[in-house]
Amino acid sequence: EWLRQPSRNSLREGVAKVIEMLMMIGMEQHEREEHYLRALPSVPHWAQLIETNDPDAVLGRACVYYLACDVVGHTSAAELAAKLQQQIPCSAARVRALLRSAPCFREVYRGRWQLGGIAPRPAAIELR
């Protein structure tokens, strides 16, 4: 009732323009997101990679992927193999052998693996 008063016509028009502008911004954002998603290359599934690549290379890629996504930061070969078996065929022994042979994996504790090594600490700065 308050907005319907004739003296508030300019306020109604202003609100309508703001709403129209927000809708235009939303449509433009949606178009840009669609354009971006169309430009992204397609990511092959693990099954597609196994068909076209060396199985050990695919296993190594999967180990890198899952260790990089691990929230704890390290995992055992058996735990990693259990995750990988949902996507690609592998055994815990095969995963363990790959982890031991590739230099990008580090055994941080006995039987616990992580991706990459620990960065060296910078030398202490002496304050005088």
Side-chain angles (χ1 to χ4, degrees):
E1 199 55 41
W2 182 78
L3 267 176
R4 290 184 184 171
Q5 294 178 7
S7 62
R8 299 203 170 74
N9 269 345
S10 62
L11 179 61
R12 279 196 312 269
E13 290 172 5
V15 169
K17 286 182 181 182
V18 168
I19 291 172
E20 182 181 349
M21 182 183 68
L22 290 175
M23 288 176 55
M24 293 295 285
I25 290 171
M27 288 172 36
E28 185 70 25
Q29 179 185 5
H30 180 71
E31 287 177 21
R32 295 294 172 196
E33 283 178 15
E34 291 295 320
H35 177 74
Y36 175 75
L37 292 175
R38 282 192 305 270
L40 287 175
S42 63
V43 178
H45 297 285
W46 295 111
Q48 293 170 324
L49 288 173
I50 290 173
E51 292 174 2
T52 59
N53 296 302
D54 177 44
D56 286 335
V58 176
L59 179 62
R61 179 178 177 162
C63 287
V64 167
Y65 176 80
Y66 281 101
L67 281 174
C69 295
D70 190 70
V71 295
V72 176
H74 55 80
T75 188
S76 71
E79 293 168 347
L80 186 57
K83 290 178 186 176
L84 294 174
Q85 286 172 350
Q86 298 171 3
Q87 304 294 328
I88 57 176
C90 65
S91 66
R94 188 171 163 215
V95 170
R96 189 175 297 106
L98 176 80
L99 293 173
R100 286 188 176 136
S101 67
C104 62
F105 304 111
R106 297 278 188 261
E107 189 172 15
V108 289
Y109 305 109
R110 183 169 171 81
R112 305 297 292 181
W113 296 87
Q114 76 177 19
L115 182 62
I118 299 170
R121 295 181 88 180
I125 300 172
E126 289 185 32
L127 299 174
R128 293 181 190 210

